[in-house]
Short mmCIF file of all heavy atoms in Angstrom, two decimals:
data_model
loop_
_atom_site.label_atom_id
_atom_site.label_comp_id
_atom_site.label_asym_id
_atom_site.label_seq_id
_atom_site.Cartn_x
_atom_site.Cartn_y
_atom_site.Cartn_z
N GLU G 244 32.74 72.26 60.08
CA GLU G 244 33.83 73.11 59.58
C GLU G 244 33.94 74.33 60.50
O GLU G 244 35.03 74.71 60.94
CB GLU G 244 33.52 73.54 58.15
CG GLU G 244 34.64 74.28 57.45
CD GLU G 244 35.80 73.37 57.00
OE1 GLU G 244 35.63 72.16 56.94
OE2 GLU G 244 36.89 73.92 56.81
N ARG G 245 32.79 74.95 60.80
CA ARG G 245 32.71 76.09 61.73
C ARG G 245 31.41 75.99 62.49
O ARG G 245 30.38 75.66 61.90
CB ARG G 245 32.72 77.43 60.96
CG ARG G 245 34.01 77.73 60.19
CD ARG G 245 35.18 78.01 61.10
NE ARG G 245 36.40 78.42 60.39
CZ ARG G 245 37.39 77.61 60.02
NH1 ARG G 245 37.32 76.31 60.25
NH2 ARG G 245 38.47 78.10 59.41
N VAL G 247 28.77 77.95 63.56
CA VAL G 247 28.36 79.31 63.22
C VAL G 247 26.84 79.38 63.11
O VAL G 247 26.21 78.51 62.52
CB VAL G 247 29.02 79.71 61.88
CG1 VAL G 247 28.29 80.87 61.22
CG2 VAL G 247 30.50 80.04 62.06
N LEU G 248 26.25 80.42 63.69
CA LEU G 248 24.84 80.73 63.48
C LEU G 248 24.78 81.92 62.51
O LEU G 248 25.40 82.96 62.76
CB LEU G 248 24.14 81.11 64.79
CG LEU G 248 24.07 79.97 65.84
CD1 LEU G 248 23.41 80.48 67.11
CD2 LEU G 248 23.32 78.76 65.29
N VAL G 249 24.07 81.74 61.43
CA VAL G 249 24.01 82.75 60.37
C VAL G 249 22.85 83.70 60.63
O VAL G 249 21.69 83.27 60.73
CB VAL G 249 23.83 82.06 58.99
CG1 VAL G 249 23.66 83.07 57.88
CG2 VAL G 249 25.02 81.14 58.71
N TYR G 261 23.64 83.29 51.42
CA TYR G 261 23.03 83.74 52.67
C TYR G 261 23.59 85.11 52.97
O TYR G 261 24.62 85.51 52.42
CB TYR G 261 23.26 82.76 53.82
CG TYR G 261 24.72 82.51 54.18
CD1 TYR G 261 25.42 83.43 54.97
CD2 TYR G 261 25.39 81.37 53.75
CE1 TYR G 261 26.74 83.20 55.33
CE2 TYR G 261 26.71 81.14 54.09
CZ TYR G 261 27.38 82.05 54.87
OH TYR G 261 28.68 81.84 55.22
N ASN G 270 27.64 86.59 60.84
CA ASN G 270 27.38 85.36 61.56
C ASN G 270 27.92 85.44 62.97
O ASN G 270 28.79 86.27 63.25
CB ASN G 270 28.05 84.18 60.84
CG ASN G 270 27.72 84.09 59.36
OD1 ASN G 270 26.66 84.59 58.93
ND2 ASN G 270 28.58 83.47 58.58
N LEU G 271 27.45 84.54 63.83
CA LEU G 271 28.01 84.43 65.19
C LEU G 271 28.72 83.09 65.27
O LEU G 271 28.16 82.06 64.91
CB LEU G 271 26.88 84.49 66.23
CG LEU G 271 26.35 85.87 66.54
CD1 LEU G 271 25.00 85.76 67.25
CD2 LEU G 271 27.34 86.65 67.41
N GLN G 272 29.96 83.10 65.73
CA GLN G 272 30.75 81.88 65.84
C GLN G 272 31.11 81.65 67.29
O GLN G 272 31.46 82.59 68.01
CB GLN G 272 32.01 81.97 64.98
CG GLN G 272 32.84 80.68 65.00
CD GLN G 272 33.84 80.56 63.85
OE1 GLN G 272 34.64 79.63 63.87
NE2 GLN G 272 33.79 81.43 62.88
N ALA G 280 39.03 75.13 65.11
CA ALA G 280 38.32 75.10 63.82
C ALA G 280 39.38 75.00 62.76
O ALA G 280 40.27 75.85 62.65
CB ALA G 280 37.48 76.37 63.67
N HIS G 283 41.35 76.42 56.50
CA HIS G 283 40.82 76.43 55.13
C HIS G 283 41.06 77.83 54.55
O HIS G 283 41.52 78.73 55.24
CB HIS G 283 39.34 76.02 55.08
CG HIS G 283 38.38 76.98 55.73
ND1 HIS G 283 37.20 76.58 56.33
CD2 HIS G 283 38.39 78.34 55.90
CE1 HIS G 283 36.54 77.64 56.80
NE2 HIS G 283 37.26 78.71 56.54
N HIS G 285 39.25 80.61 51.39
CA HIS G 285 38.17 80.85 50.40
C HIS G 285 38.36 82.23 49.81
O HIS G 285 39.02 83.10 50.41
CB HIS G 285 36.79 80.70 51.06
CG HIS G 285 36.69 81.19 52.47
ND1 HIS G 285 36.70 82.52 52.78
CD2 HIS G 285 36.61 80.51 53.62
CE1 HIS G 285 36.62 82.64 54.09
NE2 HIS G 285 36.56 81.43 54.64
N ALA G 289 36.77 88.11 54.79
CA ALA G 289 36.08 88.00 56.08
C ALA G 289 36.80 88.81 57.15
O ALA G 289 38.01 89.03 57.07
CB ALA G 289 35.97 86.55 56.51
N ARG G 291 36.58 89.37 61.70
CA ARG G 291 36.04 88.87 62.99
C ARG G 291 36.08 90.02 63.98
O ARG G 291 37.05 90.76 64.03
CB ARG G 291 36.90 87.74 63.57
CG ARG G 291 37.71 86.97 62.55
CD ARG G 291 36.91 85.97 61.90
NE ARG G 291 37.40 85.44 60.65
CZ ARG G 291 36.74 84.51 60.01
NH1 ARG G 291 35.61 84.05 60.49
NH2 ARG G 291 37.17 84.07 58.86
N THR G 318 40.65 88.14 57.88
CA THR G 318 41.06 86.97 57.11
C THR G 318 40.68 87.27 55.64
O THR G 318 39.64 86.85 55.15
CB THR G 318 40.40 85.67 57.63
OG1 THR G 318 38.99 85.77 57.51
CG2 THR G 318 40.74 85.41 59.08
N HIS G 324 43.20 80.28 57.12
CA HIS G 324 42.87 80.64 58.50
C HIS G 324 42.29 79.48 59.28
O HIS G 324 41.61 78.62 58.72
CB HIS G 324 41.92 81.85 58.53
CG HIS G 324 40.68 81.70 57.71
ND1 HIS G 324 40.68 81.86 56.34
CD2 HIS G 324 39.41 81.41 58.06
CE1 HIS G 324 39.45 81.66 55.89
NE2 HIS G 324 38.66 81.39 56.92
N HIS G 326 41.08 78.62 63.70
CA HIS G 326 40.87 79.20 65.03
C HIS G 326 41.22 78.14 66.08
O HIS G 326 40.77 77.00 65.99
CB HIS G 326 39.41 79.61 65.22
CG HIS G 326 38.85 80.39 64.06
ND1 HIS G 326 39.27 81.66 63.76
CD2 HIS G 326 37.91 80.07 63.14
CE1 HIS G 326 38.58 82.09 62.68
NE2 HIS G 326 37.74 81.15 62.29
N TRP G 336 32.39 85.31 68.69
CA TRP G 336 32.74 86.47 67.88
C TRP G 336 31.77 86.62 66.69
O TRP G 336 31.05 85.70 66.34
CB TRP G 336 34.19 86.45 67.43
CG TRP G 336 34.60 85.33 66.53
CD1 TRP G 336 34.49 85.29 65.19
CD2 TRP G 336 35.23 84.08 66.93
NE1 TRP G 336 35.02 84.09 64.71
CE2 TRP G 336 35.47 83.36 65.73
CE3 TRP G 336 35.62 83.53 68.15
CZ2 TRP G 336 36.08 82.09 65.76
CZ3 TRP G 336 36.22 82.29 68.16
CH2 TRP G 336 36.45 81.59 66.97
N ASP G 338 31.41 87.18 62.74
CA ASP G 338 32.08 87.03 61.45
C ASP G 338 31.35 87.89 60.44
O ASP G 338 30.10 87.83 60.39
CB ASP G 338 31.99 85.59 60.93
CG ASP G 338 32.74 84.59 61.77
OD1 ASP G 338 33.91 84.85 62.09
OD2 ASP G 338 32.15 83.52 62.08
N ALA G 339 32.06 88.68 59.65
CA ALA G 339 31.41 89.39 58.55
C ALA G 339 32.12 89.00 57.26
O ALA G 339 33.36 89.00 57.21
CB ALA G 339 31.49 90.90 58.76
N LEU G 340 31.36 88.63 56.25
CA LEU G 340 31.92 88.16 54.98
C LEU G 340 31.14 88.78 53.82
O LEU G 340 29.98 89.15 53.97
CB LEU G 340 31.83 86.64 54.86
CG LEU G 340 32.41 85.75 55.96
CD1 LEU G 340 31.35 85.40 57.00
CD2 LEU G 340 32.97 84.46 55.37
N VAL G 342 29.87 87.25 51.38
CA VAL G 342 29.26 86.07 50.74
C VAL G 342 28.21 86.43 49.66
O VAL G 342 28.30 85.92 48.54
CB VAL G 342 28.65 85.11 51.81
CG1 VAL G 342 27.71 84.08 51.18
CG2 VAL G 342 29.75 84.43 52.58
N PHE G 353 36.29 77.59 47.58
CA PHE G 353 36.66 77.15 48.92
C PHE G 353 37.68 76.02 48.79
O PHE G 353 37.54 75.15 47.96
CB PHE G 353 35.39 76.64 49.63
CG PHE G 353 35.64 76.03 50.99
CD1 PHE G 353 35.57 76.82 52.14
CD2 PHE G 353 35.97 74.67 51.10
CE1 PHE G 353 35.80 76.25 53.39
CE2 PHE G 353 36.21 74.12 52.36
CZ PHE G 353 36.13 74.91 53.50
O1 GTQ N 213 35.65 81.28 60.52
O2 GTQ N 213 36.44 80.64 58.63
O3 GTQ N 213 30.99 82.57 59.78
O4 GTQ N 213 34.75 80.23 56.65
C1 GTQ N 213 31.57 81.56 57.73
C2 GTQ N 213 32.54 80.97 56.94
C3 GTQ N 213 33.18 81.78 59.48
C4 GTQ N 213 35.49 81.03 59.30
C5 GTQ N 213 31.90 81.97 59.00
C6 GTQ N 213 33.83 80.80 57.44
C7 GTQ N 213 34.16 81.20 58.73
#
Side-chain angles (χ1 to χ4, degrees):
E244 188 74 19
R245 295 292 185 265
V247 161
L248 297 178
V249 175
Y261 60 80
N270 307 336
L271 281 163
Q272 183 162 172
H283 66 211
H285 36 72
R291 335 278 162 180
T318 61
H324 54 281
H326 313 292
W336 64 85
D338 293 312
L340 306 93
V342 166
F353 174 93

